[in-house]
Amino acid sequence: MTTMTAPVPRPPVIDQLAALVVRNLRTSARVPQLLMFSLTMPMAMLVLFSQVFRSVADSPSFPAGVSYIDFLTPAMLAVSTVMAGTNAGVSAAIDHTNGLHDRFAALPMRSALPGLARTINEAVFTLARAAILGVAAVALGFRFHGSAVDAAAAILVLVVLAAAMSALFGLIGDRMRRPDVVQFAGMMLMMPLMFVSSAFAPIDTTPGWMQTAAYLNPVAHATDALRGHVLGTATLADTTAALLAAALLWVVVSAGPALARRRGTR
């Protein structure tokens, strides 16, 4: 006589996602040194760049009536989000090294949930970095010239950009699976995302090819939108372009592995 074992019920997706998010936050908190550097590095860069490159504000092509700290702060919000994306890639590689992804594959949950949990984790730390960066910027003379709507829109642009960067670098971590290699690969990708934009100087002062490349860079669109909201000069077109560029990158990066898995099962 054979006995039949009832299948183990699968927990709701939202419970699985919440457990993964809590796990990621706890993992980050267990490495206070990395957490400290991740949160304070953008502040150090803001202080450094605002002092070294403030003469850029004397250029004829620089926006009239805008201080360099007001010009730079929104760019540093976008740049720090890109830098933090590399942490998501390294974390993904470490999970592969530790065999955690193999254990996830054996659990009754959707394969996309670990990546989504990483994205939520990065969004939380993005807001924390923005708060710390804002305090440092105010100490250097920064002033917010927008409205409450501008502030809300800027946060939305920043969170969507964080999701795109987390997905992009997380995919690199899933593919390369070695933290040291992922770190170097992340640096190679991070540099053009940061500097092929108007982050540190008006885009009109850069070579023509760089201006063309900036139109394809979601970080460039995010920088322009964030700066517009900070200065109170944002347009709907700039904000829409920033959201669409980041969302499109997130969709493409997130959908790629899913399509590959479907083709592999045929």
Side-chain angles (χ1 to χ4, degrees):
M1 181 176 179
T2 59
T3 58
M4 298 183 63
T5 303
V8 178
R10 174 183 295 186
V13 172
I14 189 66
D15 290 345
Q16 297 176 6
L17 180 60
L20 290 171
V21 170
V22 171
R23 178 257 168 192
N24 284 343
L25 292 174
R26 285 178 176 172
T27 301
S28 299
R30 290 193 188 109
V31 190
Q33 298 90 343
L34 179 61
L35 185 61
M36 180 190 69
F37 286 125
S38 174
L39 293 175
T40 58
M41 178 62 76
M43 179 180 65
M45 290 184 64
L46 176 70
V47 174
L48 177 64
F49 281 108
S50 66
Q51 302 306 306
V52 173
F53 296 116
R54 60 183 177 180
S55 61
V56 173
D58 299 329
S59 169
S61 60
F62 196 81
V66 178
S67 66
Y68 189 64
I69 189 64
D70 289 352
F71 181 87
L72 180 64
T73 298
M76 289 306 305
L77 290 172
V79 166
S80 64
T81 302
V82 179
M83 293 174 60
T86 60
N87 294 337
V90 172
S91 297
I94 292 174
D95 286 345
H96 281 286
T97 302
N98 294 339
L100 189 63
H101 273 269
D102 293 334
R103 294 196 290 273
F104 283 159
L107 294 176
M109 70 176 183
R110 297 181 181 178
S111 58
L113 287 184
L116 182 57
R118 262 197 322 261
T119 297
I120 295 175
N121 184 71
E122 285 305 313
V124 171
F125 284 113
T126 293
L127 296 178
R129 277 189 299 272
I132 295 173
L133 194 65
V135 172
V138 169
L140 292 171
F142 168 77
R143 295 294 179 267
F144 183 79
H145 303 276
S147 62
V149 174
D150 283 310
I155 291 173
L156 178 60
V157 169
L158 200 59
V159 169
V160 175
L161 179 65
M165 293 297 107
S166 175
L168 175 61
F169 288 104
L171 179 62
I172 294 174
D174 287 335
R175 290 290 180 267
M176 296 188 172
R177 303 190 178 189
R178 283 190 52 179
D180 53 345
V181 177
V182 171
Q183 197 166 25
F184 280 109
M187 287 290 292
M188 291 291 293
L189 183 58
M190 182 176 67
M191 289 301 180
L193 287 173
M194 288 169 49
F195 290 103
V196 183
S197 69
S198 60
F200 304 108
I203 194 65
D204 294 341
T205 63
T206 61
W209 67 266
M210 188 174 290
Q211 296 180 33
T212 302
Y215 287 110
L216 304 175
N217 184 358
V219 179
H221 290 290
T223 299
D224 292 339
L226 288 169
R227 183 171 289 133
H229 288 297
V230 163
L231 299 177
T233 60
T235 65
L236 181 60
D238 286 341
T239 305
T240 302
L243 292 174
L244 287 178
L248 180 61
L249 176 61
W250 183 82
V251 169
V252 170
V253 172
S254 300
L259 291 175
R261 283 192 297 269
R262 289 181 182 179
R263 290 175 181 175
T265 57
R266 290 180 181 176

